[in-house]
Every structure is written in C-alpha cells, then in structure tokens.
Amino acid sequence: MQKMVLSETENGLFQAIGVAPRVDREGVQRTDKDGTPQWTVETLRRPADGSPAEVIAVRVAAAKEPHLTPMCEVIFRGLTAFYWSMENGRSGISLSADEVVPASAGHSRGEKAGE
C-alpha cells in the first residue's frame, strides 16, 4: 500500500454532507489501532481549479461522532491518501485524516468537531 500526505490548503474546499460510523460487514463499528472509533465523513469537494465538484468520503478516528452542520465548510488535518489493490484486480484510493474541523470562525483552529 502506498501513502501520500495531502496539503490542507491545496485540495479545494470540502463541505460536510454527513457523518456515519465506519462499520465492518457485521455492522460493528471499526476502530483504529488505538481503539478509537472510526467515522466516515462524506463531503462535497469543490476543486480550486473550478472543475466539477465530487462526493468524497474521508475516514476520521474520534472518541465522539463529529457534529458537523450540513454543507458547512470543513478542514481535514493530516489528510492522507492510501492507494490499495487486491489480488482480484480491484484497486482504489481511500482517504483518512487525523481530525476534521469546521472552518467557521466560531471554532478555534485546535478544536476538533465532536468535542
């Protein structure tokens, strides 16, 4: 698996659509290596170059569900892209972040969503 750290500022704007627990095939919420629950933050990404918007899911580990107002602009800290492939020929890119923060002036840069 290959990993690439992405810039907070050069990937366009992200607007929150929804947040859901990241679950396995049995419906059990997944956790990271430290046992912290994982969440899928679905966003609308609007590229800086004006190309068409796209829906992007980003995995975030947080003790509590991130509470994001629908369509609020968010910032992903520690945004990382992982390239994966399987023996059956399937492959793709998954995104994860260390934290998600509402970009509104009402939140300090260090405050995580859900805290």
Side-chain angles (χ1 to χ4, degrees):
M1 183 175 354
Q2 297 178 14
K3 175 173 122 172
M4 178 191 298
V5 177
L6 304 174
S7 166
E8 282 182 24
T9 59
E10 296 177 8
N11 297 299
L13 300 175
F14 292 89
Q15 291 177 287
I17 296 173
V19 177
R22 183 171 182 250
V23 296
D24 63 18
R25 291 179 190 239
E26 287 78 39
V28 177
Q29 187 168 14
R30 293 181 179 210
T31 61
D32 67 6
K33 64 181 183 266
D34 299 321
T36 305
Q38 292 182 334
W39 306 89
T40 298
V41 180
E42 191 170 71
T43 65
L44 179 67
R45 177 182 167 263
R46 296 182 306 152
D49 66 3
S51 53
E54 58 187 331
V55 175
I56 301 285
V58 180
R59 182 179 63 235
V60 177
K64 295 180 181 179
E65 178 179 354
H67 293 284
L68 302 169
T69 304
M71 299 312 291
C72 75
E73 188 176 325
V74 295
I75 296 169
F76 289 105
R77 299 242 171 82
L79 184 61
T80 306
F82 296 93
Y83 172 76
W84 56 269
S85 63
M86 300 174 79
E87 290 181 12
N88 64 5
R90 292 183 56 211
S91 64
I93 296 174
S94 63
L95 296 174
S96 67
D98 294 336
E99 65 180 310
V100 58
V101 187
S104 66
H107 290 78
S108 67
R109 297 297 268 175
E111 182 180 347
K112 293 181 185 180
E115 291 189 339

